[in-house]
Amino acid sequence: MGASQVVTRFAPSPTGFLHIGGARTALFNYLFARHHGGKFLLRIEDTDRARSTEPAIAAILDGLTWLDFNWDGEVVYQFARAARHAEVANQLLAAGHAYRCYATAEELDAMRAAQRAAKLPMRYDGRWRDRADWPADQPFVIRLRAPQTGSVTIDDLVQGPVTVANAELDDMVLLRSDGTPTYMLAVVVDDHDMGVTHVIRGDDHLNNAFRQLALIRALEWPEPAYAHIPLIHGADGAKLSKRHGALGVDAYRDAMGMLPEAVENYLLRLGWGHGDDEIISRAEAVAWFDLSAVGRGPSRFDMKKLESVNGHYMRAADDSRLVALISPRVEAGIGRALGAADHDILQRSMAELKKRAPNLNDLASSSLFYLRTRPIPMDDAAQRLLASTPIALLSQARQQFAGLEDWSAATVEAAARALAEASGVKLGQLAQPLRAAVTGATQSPGLFEVVETLGRDETLGRIDDALATMQRAAHPDAHQADVD
Ligand code: GLU
């Protein structure tokens, strides 16, 4: 590693899904590293054995992969490094920077109770700091011998200089009596061993940074730069919760049908800015990203904004990619597997459909009418419209269309215009019932494009189905047999 190479890391605890705040932290680490031509590493902080789960690890890797925040090298699993963490604790012990503490849990509880009663801050009081009368065969923890006077200042790249008096920090535990490392020790050792130069994370970790720095200084290791990013709040200013959209990124992908580049663009703008730019490509983000433009105040999560950014990327997306993305949803919607002809229809309909679809779910549902098997379902508005349409008008249209030599949007439109004129009705009075018949709805992409995409046989068949329904409604008695 060259001395000047930037190394960042994303260090999630796999105790839950990859939520939107974590994804933003990952993005900022990713962009900062790429901007500086450095490395972006991934460390899974799975030391909490009770709360870490395999599905959570899988969800984190899956979410980062979906967002295309590709990390460098192998994933580092913190738990696997426990022996190294213990080694460092023992090294500090040998050097006198740490000491054995034999205080029992009951003793410490009593100490805290006394501090609470005296309204003193609750801190370990250093009772074993200067003792060497170690009882034989008793369990002990290893604590850092932290400085007790003076203060520590962190020149945070986002928060600016932040100072804490050493008197406020007690001698934290590094190694538990069962030999397992604490979180504070593991983070410091791993960041060092991974060569991390910039620690970029949520500002809920700012307090930890002072303790971590005390440990780094005891070890005489190089100090990383810190950047603590303000947390994301809900649109109402309250701390982000599920109600505000603090869901796993998989929910944005699956339940909401969003595109990864839209989620990325939105997260980038959440707490970081580049002039008035709203739509920012990955390449631009890498070129422009800088921690100095990260705001100090909490940012507000705005679902409407995210939806509108997603709509932008939907319109910009490649048609084949959209077809592939909606296929599973479409198959679920029509209840059968898609064949080559269906894919072809979807492909041809994308240019029109994507203009109006804010997400993949809506895109999929707006495409279903193309692929439904006859007779296609009619919504209420379509049914009402057909009920008030003269049967003769639709039936004449069917005849005209059936006689067309060429089948295209232009030829069908010309035939419809000619018929409307000959019948003394406006084009819309014919086009609307036609739309109801061929799409099952009163709103759709351009009618004649739809008709061209569906083809002659399917279009005429759908008009026939509508005519049959209209005839049954007009002469209910004649079709009693159908009803029984
Ligand atoms: N594992 C911690 C978390 O998920 C992050 C620790 C760090 O970034 O230093 O909140």
Side-chain angles (χ1 to χ4, degrees):
M1 189 194 76
S4 59
Q5 189 185 34
V6 164
V7 179
T8 65
R9 70 356 178 229
F10 177 51
S13 305
T15 53
F17 44 58
L18 174 63
H19 59 84
I20 209 80
R24 188 188 58 165
T25 300
L27 174 63
F28 284 12
N29 275 286
Y30 173 85
L31 292 176
F32 189 76
R34 293 287 172 264
H35 177 82
H36 291 283
K39 282 189 179 157
F40 167 61
L41 307 179
L42 176 61
R43 178 171 76 234
I44 301 290
E45 302 209 315
D46 55 351
T47 23
D48 183 342
R49 300 316 281 168
R51 294 176 60 228
S52 299
T53 68
E54 279 302 323
I57 294 175
I60 290 167
L61 300 183
D62 190 42
L64 292 175
T65 304
W66 178 63
L67 288 163
D68 193 29
F69 299 166
N70 43 329
W71 59 89
D72 296 305
E74 298 289 314
V75 179
V76 173
Y77 289 89
Q78 191 160 64
F79 180 66
R81 296 177 36 81
R84 166 68 178 148
H85 303 145
E87 176 189 310
V88 172
N90 283 304
Q91 187 184 315
L92 285 163
L93 191 61
H97 290 304
Y99 60 91
R100 299 168 174 222
C101 167
Y102 287 85
T104 62
E106 297 75 44
E107 225 183 296
L108 293 176
D109 283 347
M111 176 192 80
R112 286 192 208 98
Q115 288 169 340
R116 201 170 337 171
K119 298 209 176 348
L120 290 168
M122 281 193 276
R123 283 184 206 122
Y124 175 69
D125 58 6
R127 57 185 64 193
W128 280 92
R129 190 172 163 111
D130 299 311
R131 283 173 70 171
D133 53 332
W134 304 322
D137 303 325
Q138 292 296 310
F140 62 89
V141 302
I142 297 181
R143 288 184 183 270
L144 179 70
R145 191 187 301 281
Q148 292 176 312
T149 55
S151 63
V152 195
T153 298
I154 288 179
D155 249 318
D156 193 278
L157 295 175
V158 170
Q159 311 283 336
V162 192
T163 301
V164 163
N166 282 325
E168 286 178 34
L169 310 170
D170 59 6
D171 289 345
M172 64 178 167
V173 175
L174 302 175
L175 206 65
R176 300 188 190 90
S177 57
D178 63 0
T180 60
T182 58
Y183 164 71
M184 291 292 185
L185 174 65
V187 168
V188 165
V189 174
D190 291 348
D191 281 346
H192 169 265
D193 290 1
M194 291 163 74
V196 171
T197 59
H198 291 74
V199 172
I200 305 168
R201 60 189 174 190
D203 68 5
D204 48 335
H205 286 284
L206 182 58
N207 285 332
N208 291 340
F210 294 99
R211 292 172 175 283
Q212 290 165 6
L213 203 51
L215 181 51
I216 292 167
R217 288 181 178 171
L219 287 159
E220 295 179 46
W221 282 348
E223 297 175 16
Y226 289 100
H228 288 93
I229 314 162
L231 296 181
I232 302 173
H233 284 204
D236 56 4
K239 198 166 171 284
L240 199 63
S241 68
K242 276 204 176 149
R243 171 171 64 90
H244 298 113
L247 307 166
V249 294
D250 57 314
Y252 292 86
R253 177 187 60 198
D254 303 332
M256 293 180 242
M258 299 211 168
L259 295 173
E261 63 269 37
V263 174
E264 170 180 339
N265 191 145
Y266 179 70
L267 288 177
L268 174 63
R269 290 286 294 103
L270 205 52
W272 179 85
H274 183 266
D276 291 333
D277 292 316
E278 289 294 346
I279 298 298
I280 301 173
S281 70
R282 167 70 67 88
E284 288 167 336
V286 168
W288 298 338
F289 188 78
D290 201 348
L291 290 168
S292 58
V294 173
R296 282 193 199 181
S299 34
R300 293 191 178 207
F301 189 81
D302 179 348
M303 190 60 99
K304 287 267 165 307
K305 188 75 180 287
L306 170 56
E307 282 166 357
S308 102
V309 172
N310 197 60
H312 169 88
Y313 282 100
M314 293 285 298
R315 293 188 290 280
D318 179 67
D319 292 349
S320 320
R321 176 179 170 221
L322 290 174
V323 171
L325 287 171
I326 64 170
S327 288
R329 291 168 168 87
V330 172
E331 290 185 338
I334 59 173
R336 61 178 171 83
L338 295 176
D342 300 312
H343 274 114
D344 185 50
I345 287 187
L346 285 178
Q347 181 73 31
R348 282 185 285 133
S349 63
M350 270 314 108
E352 276 297 309
L353 291 179
K354 73 183 180 185
K355 288 186 200 158
R356 296 172 185 78
N359 58 58
L360 295 170
N361 295 334
D362 288 13
L363 183 65
S365 45
S366 72
S367 76
L368 295 181
F369 78 86
Y370 281 105
L371 308 175
R372 298 251 196 225
T373 313
R374 289 179 40 210
I376 61 164
M378 293 273 150
D379 69 21
D380 290 348
Q383 283 179 29
R384 277 197 303 276
L385 186 72
L386 286 174
S388 65
T389 299
I391 294 178
L393 184 64
L394 202 59
S395 137
Q396 277 169 4
R398 195 243 181 252
Q399 261 178 16
Q400 299 288 323
F401 297 167
L404 285 172
E405 266 187 34
D406 290 327
W407 187 266
S408 72
T411 58
V412 177
E413 179 170 355
R417 282 187 186 281
L419 174 62
E421 199 164 321
S423 315
V425 299
K426 289 190 189 128
L427 180 62
Q429 286 171 282
L430 174 59
Q432 272 305 91
L434 275 172
R435 184 191 306 277
V438 299
T439 72
T442 50
Q443 284 181 343
S444 77
L447 172 65
F448 300 108
E449 281 73 30
V450 168
V451 158
E452 177 176 316
T453 303
L454 285 174
R456 184 195 306 259
D457 292 350
E458 183 66 22
T459 301
L460 297 182
R462 290 184 182 196
I463 297 174
D464 287 340
D465 294 339
L467 283 167
T469 309
M470 290 158 81
Q471 268 148 6
R472 270 201 301 276
H475 308 286
D477 301 338
H479 293 272
Q480 195 59 46
D482 293 352
V483 178
D484 287 345

